[in-house]
């Protein structure tokens, strides 16, 4: 008999995990305390934008392999319970807020069958899983707990879940590992690397991976600062060092830096946890990674100021992109919106375009103006900022849109546009970390 799975928390991670596991043939029940979310998902609708997810979810609901509920007792049939709730940054500090993880464990504990397994997927500070396992065994001595961190990227969530580049399994017992081998049998057949670890190592793998990625991005953004000071070009530098396979070319895209619901809060939570453990010196560098990242936002505002004679008051600024990255409608800690809001606060009239994220952006920044189409965003603009590298922006014909703007100045915050093309069309073109020689 195939295992029955439950997924607790149906946000980004949970909804994707539930739909993907169902598509592998498991019977899956998703649980969320928010009934509006449960209602929407039950109708096959996803409350956020993620390529391919809605189709997959609707298909699985139709096939009757996937259901959703807001009653925790409905999960008692499942053999494995995945905890996929959020661990946001606390309001008054750097640490992760574990309220949702703790309450997920408390509410599921007594519904776990004898021999059943609770599997944490949320990103948590090291030490959390051991504490949760102890608590679970107090409440239900016949249950077990494992930790199986998730590495999915927004925009590629379905692909990353179905075909992960590795599976990391933090377990105490062999039986927990065996259950997870059954869950991930298809991946094992496809030779996906399987890393068995203890609970703390499994938790650490996730924060270490995100810290490394954040470090790589801030490293190239630091090089961009040096290029600006010395007349170099960071895009050429990144290309050249990326050919060294020990360095690799990915995550070396210099620009306005990282945002989103993961990298920024994960490096901060890591610093907070390391301090509690008396190991703060070991991750002290992450403070600098965070600072370099936030500095990129100021550096682009400086470029805007330079081109507008240091006077933003009343200037019409057009912004292309609101999401923290392309192929996502997520605006959590979006560098694009932070920059837009700061320019607006300095007196400019900022109009923001995004193909998917406008409604989320509007909720967070009601003071900004949003436009549904690119042309009306650009109309009469005195400067244009490219802040999220959606494909549609790379397809813009600079000669065409030059007719719409008041002054043809493009600031590419993502180093993703073709500078020669824009310059040939008569635009002043500026970017972070590139010699400004026109
Ligand atoms: C990140 C990790 O990449 C995932 O592996 C991880 O599972 C996830 O966090 C998580 O913890 O849940 P995600 O937040 O979707 O995934 O986004 P990334 O693709 O990592 O991009 C993060 C930010 O870095 C974006 O704002 C992006 O624009 C920026 N970035 C990325 C750069 O500025 N330069 C680059 O070269 C690459």
């Amino acid at each position: 008999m195939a295992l029955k799975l439950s997924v607790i928390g149906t946000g980004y991670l949970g909804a994707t995990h539930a739909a993907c596991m169902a598509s592998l043939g498991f019977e899956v029940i998703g649980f969320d305390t928010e009934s509006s979310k449960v209602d929407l998902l039950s109708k096959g609708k996803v409350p956020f934008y993620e390529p391919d997810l809605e189709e997959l979810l609707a298909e699985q609901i139709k096939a009757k392999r996937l259901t959703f509920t807001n009653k925790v007792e409905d999960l008692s049939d499942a053999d494995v319970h995945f905890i996929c709730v959020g661990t946001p940054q606390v309001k008054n500090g750097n640490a992760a807020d574990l309220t949702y993880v703790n309450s997920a464990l408390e509410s599921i504990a007594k519904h776990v069958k004898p021999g059943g397994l609770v599997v944490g997927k949320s990103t948590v500070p090291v030490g959390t899983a051991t504490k949760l396992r102890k608590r679970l065994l107090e409440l239900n001595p016949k249950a077990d707990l494992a930790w199986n961190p998730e590495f999915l990227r927004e925009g590629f969530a379905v692909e990353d879940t179905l075909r992960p580049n590795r599976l990391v399994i933090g377990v105490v017992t062999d039986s927990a590992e065996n259950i997870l081998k059954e869950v991930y049998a298809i991946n094992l057949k496809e030779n996906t690397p399987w890393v068995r670890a203890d609970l703390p190592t499994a938790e650490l793998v996730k924060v270490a991976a995100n810290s490394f990625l954040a470090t790589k991005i801030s490293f190239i953004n630091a090089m961009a600062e040096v290029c600006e000071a010395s007349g170099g070009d960071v895009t050429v530098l990144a290309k050249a060092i990326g050919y060294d396979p020990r360095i690799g070319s990915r995550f070396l895209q210099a620009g306005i830096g990282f945002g989103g619901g993961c990298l920024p809060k994960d490096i901060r939570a890591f610093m907070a946890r390391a301090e509690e453990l008396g190991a703060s010196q070991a991750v002290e560098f992450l403070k600098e990674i965070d600072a370099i990242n936030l500095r990129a936002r100021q550096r682009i505002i400086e470029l805007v100021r330079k081109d507008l004679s240091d006077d933003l008051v009343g200037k019409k600024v057009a912004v292309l992109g609101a999401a923290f990255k392309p192929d996502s409608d997520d605006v959590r800690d979006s560098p694009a919106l932070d920059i837009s809001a700061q320019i607006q606060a300095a007196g400019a009239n900022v109009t923001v375009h995004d193909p998917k994220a406008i409604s989320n952006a509007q909720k967070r920044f009601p003071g900004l103006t949003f436009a549904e189409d690119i042309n009306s965003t650009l109309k009469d603009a005195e400067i244009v900022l490219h802040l999220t590298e959606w494909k549609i922006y790379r397809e813009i014909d600079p000669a065409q849109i030059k007719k719409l703007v008041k002054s043809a100045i493009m600031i590419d915050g993502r180093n993703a546009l073709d500078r020669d093309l824009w310059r040939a069309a008569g635009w002043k073109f500026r970017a972070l970390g590139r010699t400004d020689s026109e």
Side-chain angles (χ1 to χ4, degrees):
M1 268 284 279
L3 294 171
K4 286 187 184 171
L5 314 180
S6 98
V7 173
I8 302 167
T10 57
Y12 217 93
L13 167 59
T16 311
H17 191 66
C20 289
M21 289 297 119
S23 79
L24 296 178
F26 294 106
E27 197 179 306
V28 182
I29 178 161
F31 165 83
D32 206 289
T33 48
E34 266 180 63
S35 26
S36 58
K37 223 187 244 177
V38 169
D39 291 346
L40 207 66
L41 288 163
S42 302
K43 288 184 197 132
K45 298 265 166 244
V46 176
F48 50 85
Y49 173 70
E50 177 62 38
D52 306 328
L53 181 58
E54 196 157 271
E55 294 81 343
L56 189 76
L57 185 105
E59 203 179 280
Q60 296 311 314
I61 290 175
K62 214 167 145 212
K64 301 205 181 320
R65 278 191 291 267
L66 178 59
T67 52
F68 293 92
T69 182
N70 59 2
K71 296 191 199 77
V72 75
E73 57 274 20
D74 291 348
L75 310 186
S76 9
D77 239 12
D79 306 287
V80 183
H81 305 271
F82 288 97
I83 296 185
C84 295
V85 295
T87 50
Q89 188 174 337
V90 291
K91 292 240 156 33
N92 308 315
N94 275 344
D97 180 353
L98 295 177
T99 315
Y100 306 112
V101 170
N102 289 333
S103 78
L105 192 277
E106 292 292 326
S107 50
I108 193 61
K110 63 175 187 293
H111 298 288
V112 183
K113 289 180 187 175
L117 185 64
V118 175
V119 183
K121 288 193 85 66
S122 310
T123 303
V124 289
V126 58
T128 308
T130 301
K131 265 194 219 150
L132 291 176
R133 186 169 185 275
K134 186 165 171 266
R135 178 71 182 144
L136 176 65
L137 296 189
E138 268 165 32
L139 297 168
N140 186 341
K142 292 194 170 145
D144 197 357
L145 181 136
W147 216 261
N148 165 219
E150 180 57 58
F151 304 101
L152 67 80
R153 298 160 296 167
E154 295 189 17
F156 299 90
V158 170
E159 172 67 16
D160 287 351
T161 305
L162 290 176
R163 274 169 287 277
N165 48 27
R166 79 286 211 189
L167 283 158
V168 178
I169 306 296
V171 288
V172 176
T173 63
D174 289 340
S175 62
E177 184 181 18
N178 290 336
I179 294 175
L180 284 164
K181 278 188 170 160
E182 228 177 302
V183 172
Y184 294 119
I186 291 185
N187 304 102
L188 283 173
K189 229 165 128 188
E190 289 169 353
N191 295 323
T192 304
W194 179 267
V195 184
R196 176 177 170 156
D198 51 33
L199 294 175
T201 308
E203 293 165 308
L204 278 172
V205 169
K206 174 61 191 264
V207 278
N210 275 1
S211 298
F212 191 87
L213 294 172
T215 301
K216 217 173 165 191
I217 298 167
S218 277
F219 174 81
I220 202 64
N221 284 333
M223 292 305 106
E225 291 184 34
V226 179
C227 283
E228 280 161 23
S230 59
D233 185 326
V234 74
T235 62
V236 179
L237 183 144
K239 196 164 134 190
I241 63 172
Y243 282 127
D244 183 334
R246 293 169 302 172
I247 296 174
S249 59
R250 299 179 73 183
F251 270 66
L252 284 183
Q253 187 83 15
I256 55 172
F258 58 82
C262 302
L263 262 45
K265 67 121 175 132
D266 286 354
I267 61 168
R268 292 174 196 151
F270 197 14
M271 286 187 272
R273 183 63 184 136
E275 196 173 334
E276 285 170 6
L277 292 166
S280 51
Q281 224 182 353
V283 292
E284 184 85 13
F285 71 96
L286 290 175
K287 212 189 269 174
E288 198 52 46
I289 298 307
D290 203 5
I292 294 167
N293 191 51
L294 295 176
R295 209 151 65 219
R297 303 178 188 187
Q298 299 314 314
R299 284 167 41 235
I300 203 156
I301 295 171
E302 281 313 306
L303 283 186
V304 175
R305 282 193 173 280
K306 228 193 235 167
D307 267 315
L308 296 180
S309 318
D310 208 13
D311 181 15
L312 300 183
V313 178
K315 297 282 163 60
K316 189 166 178 340
V317 178
V319 171
L320 299 177
F324 86 103
K325 68 182 232 181
D327 297 313
S328 167
D329 65 355
D330 195 342
V331 298
R332 285 176 293 169
D333 200 351
S334 164
L337 282 177
D338 185 11
I339 291 162
S340 303
Q342 289 194 52
I343 293 176
Q344 171 104 346
N349 297 321
V350 180
T351 306
V352 183
H353 175 270
D354 193 283
K356 293 286 178 197
I358 288 187
S359 108
N360 285 341
Q362 227 153 9
K363 282 180 215 140
R364 282 191 192 223
F365 292 91
L368 291 168
T369 304
F370 294 93
E372 294 285 344
D373 77 300
I374 297 179
N375 285 2
S376 57
T377 309
L378 298 176
K379 183 112 187 49
D380 299 327
E382 287 160 83
I383 194 160
V384 184
L385 276 62
H386 172 242
L387 299 186
T388 311
E389 67 277 38
W390 287 93
K391 186 164 169 271
I392 48 163
Y393 300 145
R394 289 196 292 284
E395 289 163 353
I396 288 176
D397 176 355
Q400 274 293 321
I401 62 158
K402 189 161 176 265
K403 298 172 198 145
L404 298 170
V405 297
K406 196 165 159 197
S407 11
I409 308 172
M410 165 55 83
I411 301 207
D412 183 6
R414 292 294 185 179
N415 275 310
L417 301 176
D418 181 341
R419 180 170 71 175
D420 294 343
L421 191 75
W422 284 76
R423 285 193 172 158
W427 285 72
K428 275 190 187 172
F429 189 97
R430 321 233 184 264
L432 292 173
R434 299 186 84 179
T435 320
D436 188 15
S437 57
E438 54 60 75

